[in-house]
Amino acid sequence: MALSATPPTLSPAYLTDRYELTMLSSWVTEGTVEDRAVFECFGRRLPEGRRYGMVAGLGRLLPMIEDFRFGEDDVTWLEEQGVVNAAGADYLRGFRFTGDVDAYREGDLYFPGSPVLTVSGTLGECVVLETLALSVLNHDSAVASAAARMVDAAGGRPLIEMGSRRAHEQAAVAAARAAYLAGFSSTSNLAAGRLHGVPTVGTAAHAFTLAHATEAEAFRSQVEAQGAGTTLLVDTYDIAQGIRTAVEVAGPGLGAVRIDSGDLAEESARARALLDELGATSTRVTVTSDLDEFVITALGDAPIDGYGVGTRLVTGSGHPTAGLVYKLVAVGDGPDPDAPLRPVAKKSASKASVGGRKTVWREHDADGLLRSEHYAADGRAVPEGASAVQVPVVRGGEVVHRPDLADVRRHAAASLASLPAAARRVTAGPAYLEATPVTH
Amino acid sequence: MALSATPPTLSPAYLTDRYELTMLSSWVTEGTVEDRAVFECFGRRLPEGRRYGMVAGLGRLLPMIEDFRFGEDDVTWLEEQGVVNAAGADYLRGFRFTGDVDAYREGDLYFPGSPVLTVSGTLGECVVLETLALSVLNHDSAVASAAARMVDAAGGRPLIEMGSRRAHEQAAVAAARAAYLAGFSSTSNLAAGRLHGVPTVGTAAHAFTLAHATEAEAFRSQVEAQGAGTTLLVDTYDIAQGIRTAVEVAGPGLGAVRIDSGDLAEESARARALLDELGATSTRVTVTSDLDEFVITALGDAPIDGYGVGTRLVTGSGHPTAGLVYKLVAVGDGPDPDAPLRPVAKKSASKASVGGRKTVWREHDADGLLRSEHYAADGRAVPEGASAVQVPVVRGGEVVHRPDLADVRRHAAASLASLPAAARRVTAGPAYLEATPVTH
């Protein structure tokens, strides 16, 4: 593949807030940088009105943890900028993450208090992962959480992710991946196809029709290139005329028509009737244009065979970031990995946290429906009969969890299926449950 | 700098919707791919309640247009995937953009109908830039537009961008750049410092205090590493006690205290009074925690010396994408660059566009305040006495516009200063003006 210097490729270690490195530098200076520590990533609450969240991003994050290194000129720059002192610089020269990470699997659900990622290691190696871990998980989980709701609303009809143009050019690739793992069928984004194996689709824009002298010429050209199974965009001028022309050009075996404007319930019903009248009874009707889980729900009775979702998907349908935070929960008094850790917690107003490294488990009812999520910070194992939620994903700095995206998709579908119908409604409501501490 | 394969570096040509290449492939097949074309990028409206938008992203986009090439194995993959046919693949092998681009400068204002980017060239080379151009401009302009409002609300007090953890890890870097060009003082993001020269800042998180046995120990360690001019985070336990400890440790020459929780108006007033009482009269009070232009406006009378803004900045303060579209507006009947172009426009419901390549100009009053923005699609020059808005940025495929970020910042400040006070209010209101067609 063509390598490019644009954007210049920095180590993922740069995708970091300055204060992570100033803290690290202080710890190096005071001799505590190798003290044991545990950080947890969790959300204090779900975005307003959301009943559940879906975890995504782990598959992108883990390789970046392995690649989190500082080159010689990185270190020189950081020292020149006064980010780290000489001792801090020396520490960074040899840096690699050597700790452990446990996490909720991609495609799993999360709720307020769910510890979706637990990072254990030395103070220094854990603290520097904060910004990167949150960037990846907050973005990808926001998109997956919105996508999961749209998948539910679509009730089995296929969804195409097509929001690249409404997102940062690299975020678009991650958004396509997150939507796919949450149950979307495909994406318009070629990079997501090449990098992540997401199926790509797309036929033509209005510009294609406009660039031809007539709509019929445009359709002929497209059918010649892509076959009659293609999707023709029929709303550049007049939808009914567009459909007549489409079937005239492609024949009744035309794959699909796409409508990208107007009242989609009305236009799809008219389109279906007209296609049937023209004998194109198996030609599908797909719609695009400002769709989200609410509009898709409202279109539930319309004769629509597929949806393309753009803006609202890549912007998390009103909640473009998942609100996960990364907090120190336990710290040792030295580098001995077997010494007991001291739980720590912030007490500041409205941002209190729960100290101690947590074990998490879930309980399901006889029908397999999720009923509760609990954690304990006393080192206990997952109770008998309950399900563990976290899985080991990094051990001694090596990634030990590399599911393929098809597995993640299956896990996402199973996770959604473990929610009762009420928890899957797209209307605003409270979180279906909260991860609650068990102390007895 | 340390090169990294994560994320794998694809050509920017991949950051593209599949249909751009299927259209191109059809045009290659039908022999029209070299026909002349003009595309324009504009917004039909501003995000709800916004009085103006600020353009950003051009400085990132232009180098990617130069790098928009397809390597041999890119082309092989695209052909294997059925995205392009053999003729389309041949076309892509030699592809580079050879056309012209004219654009609104970064830091300039835009309004409904403003043609912020005009791309002229062949059909093929213009169409394939759509997704990338929109991704970059929509993201960066959304952030700059929100940032400009916050800068105005802060009334000269410095603003720190610190939202990296709430954005995709690469979008975070672009967001830091966009905020800086719109008038923010600095960023927490190290990559933005390294790549774009944005000043970086940051001292310590709550984890730093929590990891020490006492708050005093944490402060001593930080002051030792960073000097008494540092900013101490005083709200891990109790703010008043935190401030006393901070001044005790650092002395009255302490640079600043940061408060990240609670009622910021109340806490900042108490902090100021306490600092003054302790003789730390020049110690600054900085606040963070869910700030945006509305909260900053509400804090206008509080004794606050600086703001840190995260989530709401990187998510465009409620409008995470700028809503710009990229539309074919004129097309030739062949490859002759001097032959007249035919204006084209979509007629579909609610998405109509205005055909023809536009000349844009603005009129200012005697005080230098912006009064109107007009365009004409009849090939006329900018009228005498009016100001041109677009500048040439690419000629014959070569970037001819490379202002440094300091110049862009100055242009942004001048642009904001050209708006009357009413247009700069953060309350919801209509667009200050619309770019309107002139036909006489």
Side-chain angles (χ1 to χ4, degrees):
Chain A
M1 76 191 67
L3 288 179
S4 162
T6 310
T9 312
L10 289 177
S11 160
Y14 262 106
L15 302 169
T16 295
D17 286 328
R18 178 171 170 134
Y19 78 3
E20 317 291 4
L21 296 187
T22 56
M23 287 190 278
L24 181 142
S25 191
S26 290
W27 282 322
V28 171
T29 303
E30 68 183 34
T32 55
V33 74
E34 304 286 346
D35 282 8
R36 310 304 301 174
V38 180
F39 284 77
E40 280 175 359
C41 183
F42 62 93
R44 293 193 178 90
R45 63 197 75 83
L46 295 178
E48 184 68 27
R50 291 290 176 83
R51 296 163 190 267
Y52 63 88
M54 180 171 280
V55 178
L58 196 64
R60 296 201 310 110
L61 174 63
L62 297 182
M64 288 195 269
I65 291 178
E66 283 188 328
D67 284 350
F68 203 100
R69 313 283 178 100
F70 296 86
E72 185 51 42
D73 62 347
D74 296 331
V75 175
T76 303
W77 185 82
L78 291 167
E79 199 177 350
E80 275 169 12
Q81 296 282 313
V83 179
V84 295
N85 59 19
D90 276 344
Y91 176 88
L92 293 184
R93 280 191 183 90
F95 182 84
R96 61 180 282 266
F97 180 76
T98 64
D100 296 343
V101 182
D102 297 82
Y104 283 39
R105 294 162 64 185
E106 282 194 287
D108 213 332
L109 307 171
Y110 71 94
F111 302 95
S114 296
V116 301
L117 192 82
T118 304
V119 181
S120 320
T122 67
L123 255 181
E125 71 188 2
C126 293
V127 80
V128 295
L129 296 185
E130 176 178 24
T131 310
L132 181 64
L134 289 177
S135 289
V136 174
L137 296 178
N138 273 326
H139 174 269
D140 292 15
S141 299
V143 174
S145 297
R149 289 159 54 85
M150 295 174 188
V151 168
D152 243 4
R157 299 173 189 175
L159 289 155
I160 304 168
E161 186 287 306
M162 38 179 274
S164 294
R165 63 190 57 195
R166 302 283 183 245
H168 178 277
E169 71 279 8
Q170 298 286 346
V173 187
R177 179 184 179 278
Y180 181 64
L181 76 82
F184 272 53
S185 305
S186 54
T187 180
S188 63
N189 188 285
L190 287 170
R194 183 81 191 259
L195 289 178
H196 302 303
V198 179
T200 63
V201 298
T203 58
H206 295 106
F208 190 73
T209 299
L210 291 170
H212 287 84
T214 66
E215 196 172 41
E217 272 184 40
F219 289 174
R220 264 193 291 277
S221 170
Q222 185 179 327
V223 168
E224 193 166 316
Q226 302 180 29
T230 192
T231 299
L232 291 172
L233 177 59
V234 294
D235 73 339
T236 304
Y237 304 111
D238 175 82
I239 296 176
Q241 186 52 53
I243 291 172
R244 288 180 190 282
T245 305
V247 176
E248 211 173 282
V249 167
L254 173 62
V257 296
R258 174 161 79 97
I259 301 172
D260 180 49
S261 53
D263 179 317
L264 297 175
E266 207 172 287
E267 296 299 349
S268 63
R270 280 196 207 142
R272 178 74 272 151
L274 180 54
L275 285 168
D276 290 348
E277 185 192 315
L278 297 171
T281 52
S282 62
T283 299
R284 297 181 307 282
V285 176
T286 64
V287 299
T288 53
S289 192
D290 295 331
L291 300 183
D292 62 14
E293 65 270 45
F294 306 107
V295 179
I296 291 170
T297 300
L299 291 173
D301 293 330
I304 291 170
D305 304 291
Y307 303 97
V309 187
T311 308
R312 293 280 290 174
L313 187 274
V314 297
T315 57
S317 197
H319 299 294
T321 184
L324 300 171
V325 297
Y326 184 93
K327 295 295 167 190
L328 178 67
V329 295
V331 65
D333 291 317
D336 177 4
D338 298 320
L341 297 174
R342 168 169 63 89
V344 296
K346 192 162 60 160
K347 295 189 180 59
S348 50
S350 78
K351 290 191 178 175
S353 52
V354 178
R357 187 210 171 104
K358 293 162 195 68
T359 304
V360 207
W361 65 90
R362 287 180 181 162
E363 290 162 337
H364 295 79
D365 69 13
D367 297 324
L369 292 181
L370 176 62
R371 284 305 171 199
S372 65
E373 182 171 310
H374 298 292
Y375 60 80
D378 54 9
R380 75 176 77 181
V382 170
E384 202 151 334
S387 325
V389 193
Q390 289 193 334
V391 295
V393 297
V394 175
R395 282 295 174 265
E398 303 294 324
V399 174
V400 296
H401 177 77
R402 301 183 191 275
D404 71 23
L405 217 44
D407 288 336
V408 173
R409 262 166 81 78
R410 278 188 287 274
H411 186 61
S415 297
L416 281 177
S418 78
L419 285 174
R424 296 169 69 166
R425 275 206 287 267
V426 298
T427 52
Y432 169 58
L433 56 81
E434 298 208 9
T436 49
V438 171
T439 51
H440 52 272
Chain B
M1 76 189 70
L3 288 180
S4 162
T6 311
T9 312
L10 289 179
S11 161
Y14 262 106
L15 302 168
T16 295
D17 286 327
R18 178 171 170 134
Y19 78 2
E20 317 291 4
L21 296 187
T22 56
M23 288 190 277
L24 181 141
S25 191
S26 290
W27 282 323
V28 170
T29 304
E30 68 183 36
T32 55
V33 73
E34 304 285 348
D35 282 9
R36 308 306 300 175
V38 180
F39 284 77
E40 281 176 359
C41 183
F42 62 93
R44 293 194 177 89
R45 63 197 76 83
L46 295 177
E48 184 68 28
R50 291 290 175 85
R51 297 165 189 264
Y52 64 88
M54 180 170 281
V55 177
L58 196 64
R60 296 201 308 112
L61 174 63
L62 297 181
M64 288 195 269
I65 291 178
E66 283 188 329
D67 284 350
F68 203 99
R69 315 281 179 99
F70 296 85
E72 186 51 42
D73 61 347
D74 297 331
V75 175
T76 303
W77 185 82
L78 291 166
E79 199 178 351
E80 275 169 13
Q81 296 283 313
V83 179
V84 294
N85 60 18
D90 277 344
Y91 175 88
L92 292 184
R93 280 190 182 91
F95 182 84
R96 60 180 282 266
F97 180 76
T98 64
D100 296 341
V101 183
D102 297 83
Y104 283 40
R105 295 162 63 185
E106 283 194 287
D108 212 333
L109 306 171
Y110 73 93
F111 303 96
S114 297
V116 301
L117 192 84
T118 304
V119 181
S120 320
T122 67
L123 256 181
E125 70 188 3
C126 292
V127 80
V128 295
L129 297 185
E130 176 178 23
T131 310
L132 182 64
L134 290 177
S135 288
V136 174
L137 296 177
N138 273 326
H139 174 268
D140 292 15
S141 299
V143 174
S145 297
R149 289 159 55 83
M150 294 174 189
V151 168
D152 242 4
R157 298 172 188 176
L159 290 155
I160 304 169
E161 185 287 305
M162 38 180 274
S164 295
R165 62 191 58 193
R166 303 284 182 244
H168 179 276
E169 71 278 9
Q170 297 286 345
V173 187
R177 178 184 180 279
Y180 182 63
L181 76 82
F184 271 55
S185 305
S186 54
T187 180
S188 64
N189 188 285
L190 287 170
R194 183 79 190 260
L195 290 177
H196 302 303
V198 179
T200 62
V201 297
T203 58
H206 294 105
F208 190 74
T209 297
L210 290 170
H212 288 83
T214 67
E215 197 172 39
E217 268 183 43
F219 289 175
R220 263 194 292 276
S221 170
Q222 186 179 325
V223 169
E224 192 167 317
Q226 302 180 31
T230 192
T231 299
L232 292 172
L233 177 59
V234 294
D235 72 339
T236 304
Y237 304 110
D238 174 82
I239 296 178
Q241 186 53 52
I243 290 173
R244 289 180 189 281
T245 305
V247 176
E248 210 174 284
V249 167
L254 172 63
V257 295
R258 174 161 79 96
I259 302 172
D260 180 50
S261 53
D263 179 317
L264 296 176
E266 207 173 286
E267 296 299 349
S268 63
R270 277 195 208 144
R272 179 74 272 153
L274 180 54
L275 285 168
D276 291 347
E277 186 193 314
L278 297 170
T281 52
S282 61
T283 299
R284 297 181 307 281
V285 176
T286 64
V287 299
T288 53
S289 190
D290 295 330
L291 299 183
D292 62 14
E293 65 271 45
F294 306 107
V295 180
I296 291 170
T297 300
L299 291 174
D301 293 332
I304 291 170
D305 304 292
Y307 302 96
V309 187
T311 309
R312 292 280 290 174
L313 187 275
V314 298
T315 57
S317 197
H319 299 294
T321 184
L324 300 171
V325 297
Y326 183 93
K327 294 295 167 190
L328 179 67
V329 294
V331 66
D333 291 317
D336 177 2
D338 298 320
L341 298 173
R342 168 169 61 89
V344 297
K346 190 162 62 157
K347 295 190 180 59
S348 50
S350 78
K351 290 190 177 175
S353 52
V354 179
R357 186 210 171 103
K358 292 160 195 70
T359 304
V360 208
W361 64 89
R362 286 180 181 164
E363 291 161 337
H364 295 79
D365 69 13
D367 296 325
L369 291 181
L370 176 62
R371 285 303 172 201
S372 65
E373 182 171 310
H374 298 292
Y375 60 80
D378 55 9
R380 75 176 76 181
V382 170
E384 202 151 334
S387 325
V389 192
Q390 288 192 336
V391 294
V393 298
V394 175
R395 282 295 174 269
E398 302 294 325
V399 174
V400 297
H401 177 78
R402 301 184 191 274
D404 70 22
L405 216 44
D407 288 337
V408 173
R409 262 166 81 78
R410 277 188 288 274
H411 186 61
S415 297
L416 281 178
S418 78
L419 286 174
R424 296 169 69 167
R425 275 206 287 265
V426 299
T427 51
Y432 169 58
L433 56 81
E434 296 207 9
T436 49
V438 171
T439 50
H440 51 271

